[in-house]
Structures are given as structure tokens and as C-alpha cells.
């Protein structure tokens, strides 16, 4: 896909869950609207194809990759019992197919001729294929993520690197200012040297198996030092400290919030937002199912605002083993405290099934409306738990809540910070533990909640009791005057930031072809 009329190409390659991919897509969308002289492409999982229409409307070409966004083990059965390949072999087969699709997609974009001034590939941390492909097609590579690096190098990494690649280690240690250096490697690039990229680079891409080395001699390329890679972070410096030992070309832009219309599961509401210039404020702007959510939040007789509970993709990743136990913990909390909750199931079918089963057990189950909206609901636990399978913008919902219980995803954390609402964070994996600890350290949340308390694997009475007590203690702490005050203060401090605009400005300064340039 040669740039139309000699137009430079901006390729955004992002893999992972919605929280990993959507912020990158938001930057692509903003760039396409700002720079009409660019061809903008997003390469991601076909699981995110719901974005395609909104992206195409903004001039971004969507290229799907068939590999799954999430890999999770099948709890309760072994590969031997099911006759399937072991999990490790399944992952390897998926990885081989994934890399073939990535190569095919990028080859279709850059493979017809020499690169143009301003061409680049922007990747997230789960799309390191893009780094190698940028080297193959000789275009600039930019890294972007809405969170700090979600993994750390093994403690033995530098020693092994120095033993096996002493010349390259010295080469990177002695790099002049502004060039790729050891701090880049240790901060985020180290997986390129430890994972099995070498055979793919040499066998499929005809590159040196080791980055920054000559393909024939495998010695460091002394005559062609590359610039230190541009790394854009989508968080606020008010929330995350940026230490001096980070590479020099790392930039914290501010939080990357999504376009409002992307945050509706309902096509009707999404379409309305596409034609609105202001944020959603009036109930009449909502479809019927979203109106039911609004009604629950304003139900007469309840002076306290509800508490939001949402774990996003955690269910699909295999971490909610017993959805019924999760619902029973919330039931116990409502019975003890009188609190009302809004639970977003995030389309996790097993949790939705448990909700429907529990609703059917009620004497007078609420009949949810059938419509073209995906956001049908159920009311449980004496109408104190509103279970919602759809989505609405957090920027609209969170300010109406007393507190937010979430998994520590970067998007949920950012939305809660911006809304100035207290948080209870229950981390499960990767960067979620960082956000949970950071929110507590800043006084925006109590100590992180253990996952076994909120989503226990067993649903016996004693386990549910322990979980409910832990959740109640966390809520009581989150609703304290100190936490509420800190949350409001932090929201005020980040309110003037525009992370997407800041990211575009940095790309304009360091990567994009000058406006009006002819390539």
C-alpha cells in the first residue's frame, strides 16, 4: 500500500486488550484528523473490529490480525483430557501465525518502494514485531503506552548480556547523548534480546539475529548509531514520577482519553455522539437501556451515590474462576452496608450467565428490555446491584459514583483520577499492581484489595464472609474524608492536561514530515 500521491504513512501497531489498544488507536485517530497529508493505518486484533467504523470515519484504515487479544488457560481441564495441544505449544503456534500476519500487513504498506520522509511505525509494548519490521523497511519506530513498562528485566539480564555480547554491551554503555544506549535497553528493549526474536529476524526478515549488530559479522554497527527511540507515555507527571535514570527520549504526555463515542456499547448512542460537539449531559440523549442506568443512579429514597464495580477484561483473561462467588460477595456487602452498586460485566459471558441465573432465582425477576442495544441489565440483591453488560463513558459515569472499585487497568485508573472519585483497586496482573500501589501511595485509594477477597474461587459461607469483610473495610477507607479530599485535589491538578494533544505535538516535532513538505 504505497502512500497515496507520495503521502507518508503512519502505521500504528498495537496488540493486547482494549486498555492496551484503544489509547493507541485514539492517537492514530487524532493524527488522521490533524494531518490530512498522512495515510494512517491501525494494525490490531480482529477482536477490536468494533473500532473499525469509527476509525474509518476519521480516515484511519483498519487492518485486522486474526490472533486473539487475550490468551488464557482453560481452567478445570487439562490438554490431555481435551485432546488439545499443551498450552505452551498453542501459544507457540499462535505466535508463528501472528508474526506471519504482521509481516504480511506491513509488507503490504511499505514493501512497494523506498520509505518516504515522515514514514513511521508506532507500537505498544505488546507489538515488538513492529520494532523489527521498522528496521526491515528502514522507517522510524516510536513506542507508546498508557502505562509504565509492565515487566522488568530479570536480575541476571545485564550479567548474561555482558558475558554473551561484551562488545555490544560496551557499545551501548558508551553511546553519545541522544543515541540508543544501555538505559533504553534496560528500560524497555531488553525483551528484544531475550525472547525468540533471533530466528524470526534471521530466517524471515533477513536481519541480524541480534539488534544493533551487523548481519554478517554480528558485531556492533559502530558506524550507524541509531537515535534513542522515542517513547511516549500516556499518563500524567502529577501521578507518575519520571526518574532521571529513564532514557532521555521518554515523554509523559498526560492521560490519553478516548473519544466519547468509542465508549458506548450501544450503536444508537455511539451514532448520536458522532454528531455531537459537547459531552453527553442529558438523559434524553441516552437509549432506553442507558436511561435505566441513569434511573438507578437517581432512584428516590437513596441519598448515597452508588459504587461502581468493573474488572474490564479480567474475566476473559481467566481470572474470575467463580462468578457466583463474586456476586455473593457483593450481595453480602449490600446486606451489611445498604450500599448500592453498579457492576459492569464487560461482556464476559460467564459472568453474564451467572447474573442471569441469579436473577431467574428471584421471586419477581426484573424483565429487561429487548432492543438493539447491547446494554441489557439485571437488578439483584433487593434492587441494590445493577448489573450492566454494556458500557458508557467513564467520564460521564464516575463523577456520579461515590467510589470506583476496579482492577487497576490504566484506563480505569486514569478515568477515576480525572473524575476525582475515591478508588478501591484490586490488581490481577502486570502493571495493575503498580497502579494499585501508586493510587494508595498518593492517598487516592486504600491498600490494594486482594483478588481472593473480591473474586474468591470458593463460594462457601466462610469464604464469602471473609471476602465481604475485606471489601467493606476497603470501601469504608475509600470513603473517608482524607481520601475524598486527595481525590478531588488530584483531579484539579490533572484537569488542564491534554495527553493526546501533547503526544501529537511531540510526534510533530520529532517524527512527522514538515507540513507542506513534498517528501
Amino acid at each position: 500500500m504505497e502512500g497515496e500521491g507520495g503521502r507518508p504513512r503512519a502505521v500504528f501497531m498495537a496488540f493486547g486488550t482494549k486498555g492496551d489498544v484503544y489509547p493507541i488507536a485514539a492517537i492514530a485517530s487524532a493524527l488522521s484528523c490533524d494531518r490530512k497529508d498522512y495515510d494512517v493505518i491501525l494494525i490490531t486484533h480482529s477482536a477490536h473490529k468494533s473500532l473499525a467504523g469509527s476509525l474509518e470515519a476519521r480516515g484511519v484504515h483498519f487492518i485486522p490480525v486474526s490472533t486473539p487479544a487475550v490468551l488464557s488457560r482453560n481452567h478445570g481441564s487439562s490438554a490431555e483430557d481435551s485432546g488439545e495441544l499443551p498450552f505452551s505449544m498453542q501459544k507457540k503456534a499462535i505466535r508463528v501465525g501472528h508474526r506471519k500476519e504482521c509481516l504480511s500487513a506491513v509488507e503490504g504498506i511499505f514493501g512497494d518502494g523506498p520509505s518516504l520522509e515522515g514514514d513511521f511505525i508506532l507500537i505498544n509494548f505488546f507489538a515488538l514485531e513492529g520494532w523489527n519490521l521498522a528496521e526491515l523497511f528502514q522507517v522510524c519506530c516510536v513506542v507508546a503506552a498508557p502505562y509504565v513498562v509492565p515487566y522488568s528485566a530479570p536480575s541476571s539480564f545485564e550479567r548474561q548480556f555482558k558475558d554473551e555480547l561484551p562488545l555490544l554491551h560496551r557499545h551501548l554503555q558508551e553511546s553519545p547523548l541522544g543515541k540508543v544506549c544501555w538505559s533504553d535497553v534496560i528500560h524497555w528493549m531488553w525483551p528484544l534480546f531475550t525472547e525468540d526474536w533471533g530466528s524470526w529476524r534471521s530466517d524471515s526478515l533477513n536481519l541480524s539475529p541480534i539488534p544493533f549488530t551487523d548481519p554478517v559479522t554480528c558485531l556492533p554497527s559502530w558506524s550507524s548509531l541509531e537515535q534513542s527511540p522515542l517513547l511516549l507515555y500516556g499518563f500524567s507527571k502529577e501521578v507518575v514520577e519520571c526518574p532521571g535514570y529513564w532514557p532521555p527520549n521518554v515523554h509523559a504526555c498526560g492521560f490519553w482519553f478516548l473519544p466519547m463515542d468509542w465508549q458506548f456499547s450501544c450503536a444508537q448512542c455511539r451514532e448520536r455522539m458522532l454528531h455531537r460537539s459537547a459531552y453527553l449531559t442529558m438523559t434524553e440523549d441516552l437509549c432506553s437501556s442507558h436511561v435505566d442506568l441513569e434511573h438507578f443512579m437517581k432512584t428516590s429514597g437513596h441519598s448515597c451515590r452508588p459504587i461502581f464495580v468493573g474488572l474490564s477484561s479480567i474475566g476473559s483473561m481467566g481470572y474470575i474462576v467463580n462468578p457466583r462467588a463474586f456476586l455473593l460477595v457483593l450481595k453480602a456487602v449490600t446486606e451489611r452496608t445498604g450500599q448500592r452498586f453498579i457492576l459492569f460485566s464487560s461482556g464476559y459471558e460467564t459472568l453474564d450467565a451467572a447474573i442471569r441465573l441469579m436473577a431467574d432465582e428471584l421471586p419477581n425477576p426484573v424483565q429487561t428490555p429487548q432492543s438493539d442495544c447491547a446494554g441489557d441489565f439485571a437488578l439483584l440483591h433487593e434492587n441494590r446491584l445493577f448489573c450492566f453488560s454494556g458500557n458508557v463513558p467513564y467520564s460521564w459515569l464516575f463523577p456520579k459514583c461515590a467510589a470506583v472499585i476496579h482492577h487497576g487497568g490504566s484506563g480505569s485508573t486514569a478515568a477515576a483520577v480525572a473524575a476525582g472519585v475515591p478508588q478501591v483497586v484490586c490488581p490481577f496482573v502486570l502493571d495493575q499492581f503498580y497502579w494499585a500501589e501508586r493510587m494508595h501511595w498518593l492517598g487516592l485509594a486504600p491498600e490494594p484489595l486482594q483478588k481472593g477477597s473480591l473474586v474468591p474461587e470458593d463460594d462457601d459461607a466462610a469464604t464469602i464472609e471473609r471476602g465481604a469483610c475485606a471489601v467493606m473495610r476497603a470501601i469504608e477507607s475509600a470513603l473517608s474524608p482524607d481520601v475524598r479530599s486527595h481525590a478531588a485535589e488530584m483531579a484539579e491538578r490533572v484537569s488542564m492536561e491534554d495527553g493526546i494533544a501533547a503526544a501529537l505535538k511531540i510526534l510533530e516535532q520529532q517524527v512527522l514530515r514538515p507540513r507542506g513538505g513534498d517528501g
Side-chain angles (χ1 to χ4, degrees):
M1 186 181 113
E2 187 176 354
E4 187 177 326
R7 289 149 56 95
R9 292 147 294 187
V11 177
F12 291 76
M13 180 181 285
F15 300 121
T17 65
K18 288 177 64 174
D20 303 309
V21 171
Y22 277 45
I24 307 302
I27 300 174
S29 174
L31 175 64
S32 181
C33 293
D34 183 61
R35 290 296 299 262
K36 301 298 184 182
D37 56 325
Y38 263 81
D39 288 334
V40 183
I41 304 102
L42 174 70
I43 302 173
T44 189
H45 305 288
S46 57
H48 303 307
K49 62 184 177 183
S50 61
L51 268 182
S54 296
L55 288 172
E56 295 286 356
R58 292 171 167 87
V60 180
H61 181 53
F62 183 90
I63 298 180
V65 172
S66 64
T67 48
V70 173
L71 292 177
S72 63
R73 294 180 182 272
N74 185 10
H75 292 276
S77 65
S78 66
E80 291 77 11
D81 295 335
S82 64
E84 296 179 354
L85 290 172
F87 185 64
S88 60
M89 293 184 66
Q90 292 181 44
K91 289 200 299 182
K92 183 176 181 180
I94 290 171
R95 182 169 63 244
V96 169
H98 179 75
R99 291 179 178 175
K100 285 183 178 179
E101 290 192 54
C102 290
L103 173 56
S104 177
V106 176
E107 192 171 38
I109 297 168
F110 293 114
D112 292 335
S115 60
L116 303 174
E117 179 189 9
D119 282 347
F120 70 93
I121 298 177
L122 184 147
I123 65 173
N124 69 356
F125 287 132
F126 299 113
L128 296 182
E129 293 82 3
W131 172 268
N132 300 289
L133 292 169
E135 181 181 344
L136 174 64
F137 293 102
Q138 299 182 340
V139 297
C140 172
C141 188
V142 177
V143 187
Y147 41 71
V148 289
V149 181
Y151 39 67
S152 298
S155 58
S156 61
F157 172 76
E158 183 168 8
R159 176 181 55 80
Q160 292 179 350
F161 192 105
K162 188 175 181 179
D163 290 344
E164 297 174 11
L165 302 166
L167 292 178
L168 180 58
H169 181 266
R170 191 180 74 184
H171 174 70
L172 293 167
Q173 290 276 14
E174 297 175 355
S175 293
L177 184 66
K179 300 295 184 178
V180 64
C181 60
W182 183 249
S183 64
D184 291 305
V185 173
I186 206 67
H187 184 64
W188 74 269
M189 298 178 72
W190 64 268
L192 294 170
F193 297 90
T194 60
E195 297 180 3
D196 61 337
W197 296 104
S199 59
W200 184 61
R201 284 172 58 91
S202 59
D203 297 343
S204 299
L205 308 184
N206 294 317
L207 298 173
S208 169
I210 303 169
F212 313 123
T213 62
D214 184 90
V216 177
T217 65
C218 289
L219 295 175
S221 302
W222 300 102
S223 61
S224 57
L225 285 171
E226 300 182 24
Q227 293 294 320
S228 177
L230 175 60
L231 172 53
L232 304 176
Y233 276 136
F235 49 68
S236 171
K237 291 180 181 178
E238 297 287 347
V239 175
V240 177
E241 293 179 333
C242 300
Y245 57 79
W246 277 7
N249 216 8
V250 173
H251 300 266
C253 304
F255 292 118
W256 295 333
F257 293 114
L258 308 182
M260 182 69 75
D261 58 285
W262 293 13
Q263 302 173 61
F264 283 100
S265 54
C266 168
Q268 177 182 339
C269 293
R270 187 162 53 244
E271 182 65 21
R272 288 177 179 177
M273 287 309 303
L274 278 171
H275 298 94
R276 288 200 49 173
S277 58
Y279 275 7
L280 186 69
T281 56
M282 302 295 289
T283 298
E284 54 265 28
D285 288 315
L286 300 171
C287 73
S288 59
S289 289
H290 288 119
V291 167
D292 291 319
L293 173 60
E294 174 81 357
H295 176 72
F296 176 80
M297 292 189 290
K298 294 184 176 180
T299 300
S300 60
H302 295 286
S303 57
C304 295
R305 293 179 294 170
I307 294 173
F308 172 86
V309 183
L311 302 180
S312 191
S313 58
I314 287 301
S316 62
M317 295 174 71
Y319 288 101
I320 304 180
V321 179
N322 189 339
R324 179 177 175 82
F326 178 28
L327 297 173
L328 288 176
V329 168
L330 295 179
K331 178 182 180 182
V333 175
T334 63
E335 290 173 345
R336 299 283 190 84
T337 65
Q339 291 279 1
R340 295 180 304 132
F341 293 88
I342 297 169
L343 170 62
F344 276 20
S345 64
S346 301
Y348 179 44
E349 294 179 359
T350 307
L351 178 56
D352 283 332
I355 290 169
R356 289 193 298 269
L357 182 60
M358 195 170 284
D360 290 342
E361 295 171 354
L362 297 175
N364 298 299
V366 174
Q367 298 299 315
T368 62
Q370 298 299 314
S371 68
D372 62 351
C373 175
D376 291 344
F377 69 93
L379 282 169
L380 299 178
H381 311 334
E382 298 183 351
N383 295 343
R384 290 184 176 274
L385 175 62
F386 186 101
C387 303
F388 192 53
S389 63
N391 285 301
V392 296
Y394 286 169
S395 59
W396 175 81
L397 176 62
F398 282 5
K400 305 174 189 296
C401 296
V404 171
I405 300 175
H406 64 92
H407 61 302
S410 57
S412 300
T413 302
V417 169
V421 61
Q423 305 174 52
V424 173
V425 189
C426 180
F428 291 80
V429 66
L430 296 175
D431 62 299
Q432 297 166 12
F433 292 97
Y434 169 82
W435 289 118
E437 293 290 349
R438 190 64 183 166
M439 292 302 99
H440 176 51
W441 192 88
L442 291 171
L444 311 180
E447 291 186 4
L449 188 63
Q450 298 295 313
K451 65 180 181 180
S453 299
L454 185 61
V455 289
E457 295 191 8
D458 300 317
D459 55 13
D460 60 278
T463 300
I464 299 304
E465 172 70 13
R466 286 194 297 271
C469 288
V471 173
M472 285 189 293
R473 288 194 298 269
I475 291 173
E476 181 180 10
S477 178
L479 296 179
S480 67
D482 281 349
V483 174
R484 287 188 291 179
S485 174
H486 286 136
E489 291 172 3
M490 182 59 72
E492 179 66 24
R493 286 159 60 183
V494 303
S495 63
M496 300 304 294
E497 297 178 346
D498 186 339
I500 297 289
L504 290 185
K505 182 177 180 180
I506 296 168
L507 289 173
E508 186 86 41
Q509 294 170 342
Q510 298 197 34
V511 179
L512 303 185
R513 185 171 73 178
R515 293 178 186 268
D518 58 9

